[in-house]
Every structure is written in structure tokens, then in C-alpha cells.
Amino acid sequence: LGPIAPRCLGSFGGARPRAIWRTEEDIGEMGCCDTVGVVLFNLILIVCTLPPYIVAKVSVFFTDCRPFRPTSTRPKVVLVLTCLCWRLLFTLAFWIRIRADGLSDFRQHLGSSGRPVVVVANHLSFLDTLLLVAMMPVSRMSRMKMFVSEHLLKMPILSTIVQAMGHIAVPFKPGAGHNDFELDRELMAIRQLELEEHVRSGGYAGWFPEGRMNPGDSTEVGLFRAGGFALACHVDVEVWTIAFLGNGMCWPRTSAAGGRPSKIGVKFERLCESSWEFVSTAKGGPGLNDEKEACKHLANHAHERVQTGVTQLFTEGIPAYQGGRKAKAREVAINQPLLSSAA
């Protein structure tokens, strides 16, 4: 990624490729090359994750003696080190080809408006998190705080890193199953305020507005929950969108390990330099006085921008999957009206 992995970037040359479909049943069948890729990828992942884990472990140990202060450098060190180590991961994993449209602009202009930043993306796979961290500009990574799934706090090694980074867990109601992602609204409201205060103080925020990994057609972005965009109504922020495609081919959402040989597409775009201006009546929005409609306005336009990026990547040859059903190449409709309900 970036200067250390130029082979991953740029558009694929040659004639326009045909759309490529796979089903989750197809993805579940691993061949010899897939097995070798997964084994090597996870060995490299372990090696590249050990340095930030060791630093995070030390950080968590000292936190028991002296809790984090808002200006503490401990989370920042873990964030930056993890970013660099996971960049190395994708550089060494040469069998995973990554096309990243707009990456240089993202790294160069992120935060150029002088405002805090919000980054949102569609969610296909556990690989999304690794890529998002690796692709962040190092100079800005130390300011990032994300909403993460609570189950990450139960995973060995990764839970320590997430805790040391200071990320915020999304609370689900007790007993929620794999396909049930009902939030504990009271606790979520408290954690949203925590993230809002981080952004208000000049920090950056990131999350996956779908609320879960896409279980179906990976070319159709799931509904964006509007409630999370209240942050962009309370604080004037710069908003960026990231469209992922192909991540679920490399690391299927139902698999414990990933790293299969694959082609991945990523598209970065800035939705707006000012969220307040974007929802203003002067720009065709509902205005900040109607917060519910303003949240929907932001969620729907962010969804549309991500959906357009995913569709473009698909039509240009990035493989996609369709969960649980036989699939065939087809055009993806993106001009349907959207409706996001507040989380």
C-alpha cells in the first residue's frame, strides 16, 4: 500500500473485463492455492501483529496503574505502529491484488478542510478493518477512533490491541445471535457521546453504518443506519466514504481465517468538506433544525456514494459474491430511493 507497495495500486489495464460472480458455496470450497494463501497470510498476519500487540500489552498494563488521559501518547503509538505493520502485511501478501482508487488523494487531503473527520465504509469482511487501518495516512492515524464490534474484545491478541487503541465497542443486547444485531440503545447513546466528544476535540471517527457484515449480494450495499450520523449534525465535520469490493472473496465473512488469492477493489471519495453546509437548506438539505431528516440526508447520500463506487468496481472486473443463491452477471440498480431509520 502506498509508497511501500506500488504494485497494488492503479487501474487494471487492457480491455474492459466482464463482471465476475461467485456464490458463498463456491467461496467455501478451498483449493490448493487457497489453502497455501490462507496459511501464509495468517503466518504473516501473526508476525506483523506481534509488535503492536507487545506495545499494546505494555500500554494496558500501565493503564491499570494510570488510566489514559485525553492527551496520552500510548493509544497513538499503538495506532501508528499497527498501521505500519499491517501495511507491511499487505505488501508481503503479494497474491492479494489491491486496486485502490483515490488513495493518494485520501492520504493527501484527509482533514485538509481543517475540520474533524468522519470516515464511513461498507462492511463485507473482517478484512475491511485491516485494510482501513493500513490505508490510513500515518500522520492522521493517531487521531482515529472507531466503533468496533463487541466480539473483537473477546478475541485473543486483537482485544488487547483494540483496548489499547481506545476504540469504542458497539453494544448489542444480550442473547443477540449472528443475524440479530439489535443494539442496546441506552448504552449506545452513551458511547456515541464518547465518540462525539473525541471528534469535537479535533479527533477522527470511523465506522461501518450497515451495522454488520453484508450477508447477501456484495454489490448491493446494505441500509446505512442514520442514527450514527447524528455526530455529523452535532459537530461540523469533513466526511469521506470508502467502497470495498472483493474483501469477502479473500476473507469470507463466515471463515475464521482469510488470505485467499484474490482481487480487491477500494474506492475513496470525499462526500463533503462541511457536514453542516451539506445538510443546509441552501444546498438542498433539510437543515440542522430537523436533526432526524438531516441524519437521513447524510446517511442516504453516503450510501449512494458508496453504492456507486461498489458498482463501478464490479463492472470493471472486481469479483463479487451473492450469499446463499446462485448468481449471474447483471447490472446493479443504484437509483432506487433510500430510507435510513435512526439507530
Side-chain angles (χ1 to χ4, degrees):
L1 299 172
I4 63 174
R7 59 173 176 79
C8 295
L9 307 181
S11 300
F12 298 115
R16 181 188 178 100
R18 66 181 180 86
I20 302 172
W21 274 107
R22 299 287 187 273
T23 63
E24 283 195 326
E25 291 88 344
D26 296 332
I27 298 173
E29 299 173 359
M30 288 182 59
C32 180
C33 290
D34 290 335
T35 302
V36 172
V38 169
V39 170
L40 290 177
F41 181 83
N42 283 274
L43 286 175
I44 299 172
L45 175 60
I46 292 171
V47 172
C48 289
T49 304
L50 276 177
Y53 168 70
I54 293 171
V55 174
K57 194 70 175 177
V58 173
S59 176
V60 171
F61 172 77
F62 281 108
T63 300
D64 294 336
C65 304
R66 179 182 295 181
F68 287 146
R69 301 186 307 275
T71 57
S72 175
T73 60
R74 281 175 277 169
K76 298 177 182 178
V77 171
V78 178
L79 282 162
V80 171
L81 183 58
T82 304
C83 175
L84 292 172
C85 288
W86 285 354
R87 282 194 189 187
L88 178 61
L89 163 68
F90 288 106
T91 301
L92 296 176
F94 59 86
W95 55 93
I96 301 173
R97 292 176 292 165
I98 302 173
R99 163 184 167 174
D101 295 344
L103 178 59
S104 59
D105 286 341
F106 175 69
R107 288 178 173 170
Q108 182 178 354
H109 299 297
L110 186 70
S112 61
S113 66
R115 297 179 179 85
V117 175
V118 161
V119 179
V120 295
N122 61 316
H123 202 10
L124 301 174
S125 163
F126 179 72
L127 195 71
D128 304 343
T129 303
L130 301 182
L131 282 170
L132 181 57
V133 171
M135 288 181 167
M136 281 291 295
V138 176
S139 60
R140 300 286 191 273
M141 188 65 211
S142 63
R143 302 169 70 175
M144 176 62 74
K145 183 169 287 194
M146 297 180 64
F147 275 134
V148 298
S149 176
E150 248 182 353
H151 82 274
L152 294 181
L153 300 180
K154 302 175 183 177
M155 297 176 66
I157 299 179
L158 195 58
S159 61
T160 302
I161 295 175
V162 170
Q163 183 181 353
M165 286 178 171
H167 291 322
I168 302 171
V170 176
F172 293 98
K173 285 191 173 181
H178 178 71
N179 293 318
D180 181 7
F181 55 109
E182 185 179 0
L183 295 175
D184 183 328
R185 294 180 180 272
E186 292 184 4
L187 186 53
M188 186 63 192
I190 296 172
R191 294 184 180 178
Q192 281 183 313
L193 285 175
E194 182 182 347
L195 186 64
E196 185 177 313
E197 286 305 310
H198 169 73
V199 172
R200 196 181 297 278
S201 64
Y204 293 2
W207 69 89
F208 300 107
E210 292 167 288
R212 62 171 178 175
M213 296 181 193
N214 188 338
D217 184 347
S218 63
T219 64
E220 293 185 2
V221 180
L223 193 72
F224 277 13
R225 293 184 170 209
F229 288 87
L231 184 156
C233 294
H234 298 161
V235 185
D236 191 16
V237 296
E238 178 180 315
V239 182
W240 285 77
T241 62
I242 303 177
F244 287 122
L245 189 64
N247 300 10
M249 308 288 288
C250 179
W251 192 325
R253 67 183 182 88
T254 56
S255 297
R260 305 180 187 194
S262 53
K263 183 191 296 184
I264 291 173
V266 190
K267 192 172 183 64
F268 298 85
E269 289 189 272
R270 180 159 55 188
L271 179 66
C272 62
E273 293 188 0
S274 167
S275 57
W276 287 2
E277 181 182 2
F278 189 79
V279 301
S280 67
T281 54
K283 293 293 184 178
L288 288 170
N289 291 332
D290 190 341
E291 182 178 311
K292 184 176 181 180
E293 289 303 315
C295 289
K296 288 182 180 180
H297 185 75
L298 282 165
N300 288 339
H301 280 80
H303 182 283
E304 181 181 5
R305 189 68 61 88
V306 173
Q307 180 65 80
T308 301
V310 168
T311 302
Q312 181 180 346
L313 292 169
F314 176 60
T315 57
E316 293 178 357
I318 302 299
Y321 68 82
Q322 192 165 12
R325 302 190 304 274
K326 291 297 180 184
K328 59 182 179 179
R330 62 179 175 79
E331 292 294 325
V332 180
I334 64 171
N335 295 321
Q336 300 176 355
L338 304 173
L339 177 63
S340 297
S341 56

